[in-house]
Amino acid sequence: MKLPTGKLDSDLLREIVFDKIKYRSDDVKVRPGIGEDCAVMDFGSCDCIMSTDPISSAVNDIGRLAIHITCNDIASNGVQPLGIMLACMLPEGTTAEDVEHIMGQAAETAAELNVEIIGGHTEITPAVKQPVIVSTAIGKCLSGEYQSGDSMELGDFIMVSKSVGLEGAGIIACDHADRLDLTEAELERAKSFLQMTSVVPEGVAAGTVGTHGMHDITEGGILGAVWEMCQISHRGAEVWEEAIPVEPETAKICEQCGINPLRLISSGSMVIIVPRDRLEKMKKAMADAGVKASVIGIIREETEGVCMASHTKTCGAEGEGRIRTKIDPPYADEIYKVVK
């Protein structure tokens, strides 16, 4: 069976990847799962948090994004990332200047996050047609203090930081500007979105308040991220379409490219599941961290499914009177419709 571009389908991932893992160590607290950003290992008085991810759809900002994508995963556990390793696969024809540019971006970004690049691998190979970087980040916390999505409860609010689609819009603006009909100002602002792809500040801030789980929004976009979180906790959810923040430039790029911003890769945005009694504290924590955050939905019973509610003239509070549509599992990200 030939597979489509992008992440594996969730059912297939379970069947041919997760179910093939045989050995289980007593030192592993959190194992691979749909919607799980990180593994957690027991290091005695501390837990070690680890995550790995590739960057394969960007070119111009690949060094910067390679740092952010896995540091964001660590932050989704409410933990400050400490170190990162980079495995760089570069195509034939790559120059020393190209490598210097990539590593300059990576080093600068890591320094901004107070994360040390502690190792990795770099090679030129005919196996790739454009740069591919796989990064692995680590963090630590006191034993048991990591945030977990399996603790989601009925009535919890779904909060999202910044705006969705930032990474996808930024990649398209940087690497495919010739396909866009934007003003110079719009194009430059869209490119600047790649400077906003860290969720470390909001992740660490939310961790001090306490959440019922966080998930940084990567492939599959905001709708995919919410669906994945519901799989961990065996809950349903209702997402309010009109409450989801989308920058004007992102909306314009998506319209011109014929893609859905709610299904677009969105590093830079974090889904935060907020207990009802901590909502005001969470809003203050986000404001103190200088991060815009929006409440976009609510956790429901699993039997109610995962759905998106659209606005009607008779809408009431918390979704009453909205038209509901089912949110499907994440499939190939919208970015691949442009970069392929």
Side-chain angles (χ1 to χ4, degrees):
M1 178 177 65
K2 186 176 181 180
L3 299 175
T5 301
K7 293 198 300 186
L8 287 184
D9 167 84
S10 298
D11 291 336
L12 193 61
L13 183 63
R14 289 191 186 96
E15 179 183 346
I16 67 175
V17 179
F18 295 163
D19 290 350
K20 299 300 181 184
I21 301 172
K22 302 301 181 184
Y23 177 70
R24 297 289 187 268
S25 169
D26 292 338
D27 292 324
V28 177
K29 290 186 172 182
V30 177
R31 294 184 166 86
I34 304 301
E36 287 287 3
D37 287 324
C38 298
V40 180
M41 297 190 68
D42 186 350
F43 274 31
S45 61
C46 291
D47 289 328
C48 178
I49 318 295
M50 302 181 67
S51 179
T52 189
D53 260 317
I55 290 288
S56 59
S57 59
V59 177
N60 290 327
D61 281 82
I62 190 169
R64 180 179 297 110
L65 292 173
I67 299 295
H68 282 315
I69 190 170
T70 41
C71 287
N72 285 351
D73 283 346
I74 303 300
S76 72
N77 278 254
V79 175
Q80 171 68 38
L82 300 176
I84 193 165
M85 305 179 77
L86 304 174
C88 305
M89 309 295 144
L90 306 172
E92 293 179 321
T94 297
T95 66
E97 289 76 18
D98 293 333
V99 178
E100 183 178 20
H101 173 71
I102 291 171
M103 288 310 302
Q105 280 189 350
E108 180 181 352
T109 305
E112 291 170 355
L113 297 176
N114 295 319
V115 174
E116 183 173 349
I117 299 174
I118 57 175
H121 175 83
T122 306
E123 71 172 79
I124 310 300
T125 172
V128 299
K129 297 180 180 179
Q130 69 179 45
V132 174
I133 299 181
V134 179
S135 60
T136 301
I138 61 172
K140 71 174 182 178
C141 64
L142 293 176
S143 181
E145 291 195 358
Y146 58 89
Q147 311 289 301
S148 176
D150 62 7
S151 57
M152 288 162 54
E153 296 180 358
L154 299 182
D156 285 349
F157 287 110
I158 305 170
M159 179 178 280
V160 67
S161 66
K162 303 191 191 77
S163 302
V164 303
L166 292 175
E167 181 184 8
I171 290 172
I172 296 170
C174 285
D175 294 347
H176 303 277
D178 58 328
R179 301 181 58 176
L180 302 174
D181 181 18
L182 301 178
T183 67
E184 189 63 30
E186 289 172 332
L187 184 62
E188 289 306 309
R189 184 162 193 270
K191 290 179 178 179
S192 76
F193 292 162
L194 294 183
Q195 308 290 332
M196 303 165 61
T197 50
S198 173
V199 294
V200 173
E202 52 260 51
V204 173
T208 64
V209 176
T211 75
H212 282 167
M214 291 185 276
H215 191 19
D216 75 305
I217 310 173
T218 52
E219 288 194 32
I222 177 62
L223 299 186
V226 172
W227 185 91
E228 288 178 344
M229 292 199 75
C230 288
Q231 306 314 297
I232 301 174
S233 61
H234 303 288
R235 297 291 188 187
E238 181 177 284
V239 176
W240 307 322
E241 183 177 17
E242 71 277 4
I244 301 173
V246 181
E247 296 297 325
E249 293 81 5
T250 300
K252 196 167 184 177
I253 288 171
C254 289
E255 181 179 5
Q256 291 181 12
C257 294
I259 59 178
N260 182 356
L262 306 187
R263 289 285 187 180
L264 182 61
I265 189 168
S266 297
S267 292
S269 300
M270 180 84 88
V271 176
I272 305 170
I273 306 302
V274 186
R276 295 186 75 92
D277 61 353
R278 299 179 195 170
L279 181 60
E280 294 308 314
K281 288 183 179 179
M282 189 64 70
K283 288 180 178 178
K284 183 179 185 304
M286 292 296 105
D288 290 345
V291 176
K292 181 181 76 172
S294 307
V295 175
I296 65 163
I298 195 168
I299 299 301
R300 301 290 196 191
E301 292 277 10
E302 184 177 21
T303 54
E304 296 185 48
V306 185
C307 68
M308 181 165 65
S310 302
H311 187 77
T312 69
K313 291 182 179 179
T314 58
C315 282
E318 297 187 4
E320 290 87 348
R322 290 175 167 87
I323 299 172
R324 293 172 174 82
T325 56
K326 178 184 176 183
I327 295 176
D328 293 323
Y331 41 83
D333 193 272
E334 295 286 89
I335 190 73
Y336 295 114
K337 295 179 181 178
V338 181
V339 303
K340 72 178 181 179

